[in-house]
Amino acid sequence: MSLKICLMPDLTLLYRFLSVCLFAGVIFPGVATAQNRKQDIVYLKSGSVLAGSLIYSDSLRGVRINNDCGSWLFTMAEVDSVVFQDLNHWSQGKRSGYYNLSSGSLLFGEGADGFVPYPSLTMINGYQWDQRLFTGAGLGYEYFGWSILPVFAELLWLMKPDILTPYLSLRSGYAFPLSKNPDSYLNGDQGKNYGGVLLNPEAGLRISAGDRYAFLIGIGYRYQELSWTSPGYDWNGNYSRKTITRYNRITLKAGILFR
């Protein structure tokens, strides 16, 4: 016998937060740059980095930047990216290499306990390929009526490297049960908890806090499948009943990125 339960959250909060994130990503980086910018940075595909005052950057004329060493002109084919930034925040930042992302989240949705949010703690270690692309593997601790161990891979992409940067991420993996089913059969045998697949797309903002640290705040959608067996009894004897639950949750996350 199988029982399937599908728990759906109210997506209004998700839509509102995504709108705020996109608005902040477009408006606030430009404001922060205008107020705090000391120098502009040009990253070349050859690996060189030039800091100075950007004169122009467009597809027809290319990129021209002035500094104490003179005036430099590059074609768009030579340029990897151009960043308007405060040197205190970005000029010494890594373009590639190891990173760690530790975060805590609350998972909101209707369940057996009403709308009480479930906690989530995760840690990711991975590789930063350039100023925008991060890939890593992570694990953590979460509670969905019982404790589970999520193990997953993450892809994180920054829309525009700056002091305030919108990002998109996707986590996919499997959750393993950490606790036993408390239900017992009449003969002393216990039921069993099972894990399941997980999927977690997310959008948010990365806030620079220096050349090696940044804070992340985001909102997303979490799908988690879990199941368990519990005892039953009828005139034919004991039997096992399996319950499958598919959780749909809104996630609110705050984390710190170290690179």
Side-chain angles (χ1 to χ4, degrees):
M1 179 178 180
S2 176
L3 175 64
K4 297 183 178 180
I5 304 173
C6 185
L7 305 176
M8 296 297 296
D10 183 358
L11 297 181
T12 303
L13 178 62
L14 176 61
Y15 296 146
R16 290 179 178 177
F17 191 88
L18 288 176
S19 300
V20 172
C21 287
L22 292 175
F23 176 80
V26 173
I27 301 298
F28 288 113
V31 174
T33 300
Q35 292 179 346
N36 300 320
R37 186 175 73 216
K38 293 183 178 179
Q39 294 195 56
D40 304 314
I41 306 296
V42 175
Y43 293 101
L44 302 179
K45 294 180 179 179
S46 64
S48 299
V49 180
L50 283 85
S53 178
L54 187 69
I55 305 304
Y56 54 77
S57 174
D58 59 59
S59 58
L60 296 178
R61 296 180 294 173
V63 175
R64 180 177 290 278
I65 186 170
N66 293 343
N67 58 22
D68 294 338
C69 298
S71 181
W72 306 82
L73 177 63
F74 303 99
T75 65
M76 296 304 296
E78 297 177 285
V79 176
D80 179 60
S81 61
V82 178
V83 180
F84 304 91
Q85 58 194 351
D86 182 346
L87 284 179
N88 292 331
H89 285 82
W90 285 98
S91 62
Q92 303 301 320
K94 294 196 305 182
R95 299 192 66 207
S96 63
Y98 164 83
Y99 79 92
N100 173 277
L101 174 58
S102 299
S103 59
S105 304
L106 292 177
L107 313 181
F108 291 88
E110 186 177 6
D113 299 323
F115 285 91
V116 177
Y118 288 159
S120 171
L121 298 173
T122 59
M123 177 180 290
I124 298 172
N125 291 288
Y127 190 82
Q128 173 187 346
W129 296 94
D130 53 31
Q131 287 288 331
R132 296 188 176 187
L133 181 62
F134 298 72
T135 58
L139 50 78
Y141 169 84
E142 294 178 338
Y143 184 81
F144 281 85
W146 67 81
S147 300
I148 62 172
L149 172 69
V151 178
F152 55 88
E154 181 180 65
L155 175 66
L156 187 149
W157 184 72
L158 303 179
M159 293 185 183
K160 178 184 177 183
D162 212 316
I163 296 174
L164 291 178
T165 306
Y167 74 83
L168 298 173
S169 72
L170 176 64
R171 294 181 178 183
S172 180
Y174 193 90
F176 298 89
L178 294 177
S179 58
K180 296 181 179 180
N181 191 314
D183 293 334
S184 299
Y185 292 94
L186 296 179
N187 60 9
D189 294 335
Q190 285 190 324
K192 187 175 181 180
N193 291 334
Y194 297 89
V197 297
L198 68 88
L199 186 66
N200 183 197
E202 183 178 278
L205 286 174
R206 184 186 70 169
I207 306 169
S208 172
D211 58 346
R212 300 180 64 187
Y213 299 93
F215 296 101
L216 275 71
I217 56 173
I219 186 169
Y221 162 76
R222 172 66 180 276
Y223 172 83
Q224 178 66 64
E225 184 175 304
L226 297 172
S227 61
W228 67 91
T229 57
S230 57
Y233 183 82
D234 59 20
W235 59 279
N236 288 322
N238 295 343
Y239 67 89
S240 175
R241 180 178 62 186
K242 188 173 185 179
T243 302
I244 302 172
T245 303
R246 296 181 175 92
Y247 294 90
N248 296 273
R249 292 287 184 266
I250 290 176
T251 66
L252 295 180
K253 184 180 78 176
I256 182 169
L257 176 72
F258 169 82
R259 54 182 183 159

